[in-house]
């Protein structure tokens, strides 16, 4: 496998694009050696769904598209970024028991930490932002270990 692999897709900021983003990332990861039926793949799909949902729901019509970038560095680190053109950074909202939404960033942070990864947000030159996750590249196909458990 190459030292550095990249894939990217730009989608319209509409609800149907969330599942398109998830399927796209699943296909890319399968091509790179992550079987789709693993816990790791499920975790990545959920993270991508939450990131894409945030890009669609919380940009208030200021971002007509969003871009999903996927990078695998030296078979060691997977980076996924979702870029939109809205300048407001995501905020972690207090999760009320009765609340039906607003937990996306909590879910993303928790899953990323459970996998031994990290989350970051960076501005784009155009005034938007990219929400990044970086995870160790662990696959059962390579004999990887289960991700370490972290309490959420």
């Amino acid at each position: 496998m190459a030292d550095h692999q990249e894939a990217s897709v730009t989608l319209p900021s509409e609800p149907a694009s969330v599942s398109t983003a998830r399927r796209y990332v699943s296909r890319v990861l399968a091509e790179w050696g992550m079987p789709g039926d693993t816990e790791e793949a499920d975790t990545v799909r959920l993270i991508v769904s939450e990131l894409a949902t945030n890009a669609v729901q919380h940009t208030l019509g200021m971002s007509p598209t969003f871009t999903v970038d996927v990078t695998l560095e030296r078979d060691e680190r997977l980076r996924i970024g979702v870029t939109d053109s809205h300048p407001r950074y995501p905020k972690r909202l207090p999760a009320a028991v009765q609340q039906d939404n607003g937990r996306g960033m909590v879910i993303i942070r928790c899953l990323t930490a459970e996998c031994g990864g990290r989350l970051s947000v960076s501005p784009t030159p155009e005034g938007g932002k990219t929400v990044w996750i970086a995870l160790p590249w662990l696959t059962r196909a390579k004999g990887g270990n289960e991700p370490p458990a972290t309490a959420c």
Side-chain angles (χ1 to χ4, degrees), residues 42-66:
D42 289 343
T43 298
V44 171
R45 280 191 292 268
L46 179 54
I47 290 170
V48 169
S49 289
E50 292 296 333
L51 290 172
T53 298
N54 284 350
V56 170
Q57 288 186 342
H58 300 294
T59 58
L60 307 172
M62 291 181 63
S63 185
T65 63
F66 67 94

Side-chain angles (χ1 to χ4, degrees), residues 11-81:
L11 301 165
S13 289
E14 54 190 43
S17 294
V18 173
S19 60
T20 302
R22 186 176 52 246
R23 285 191 306 272
Y24 175 80
V25 171
S26 291
R27 272 194 313 274
V28 168
L29 296 182
E31 289 171 10
W32 293 350
M34 179 182 281
D37 61 349
T38 64
E39 186 176 330
E40 292 85 358
D42 289 343
T43 298
V44 171
R45 280 191 292 268
L46 179 54
I47 290 170
V48 169
S49 289
E50 292 296 333
L51 290 172
T53 298
N54 284 350
V56 170
Q57 288 186 342
H58 300 294
T59 58
L60 307 172
M62 291 181 63
S63 185
T65 63
F66 67 94
T67 301
V68 180
D69 294 299
V70 187
T71 306
L72 179 57
E73 300 168 352
R74 295 182 304 278
D75 273 354
E76 295 173 3
R77 185 169 70 153
L78 175 67
R79 286 178 43 95
I80 299 174

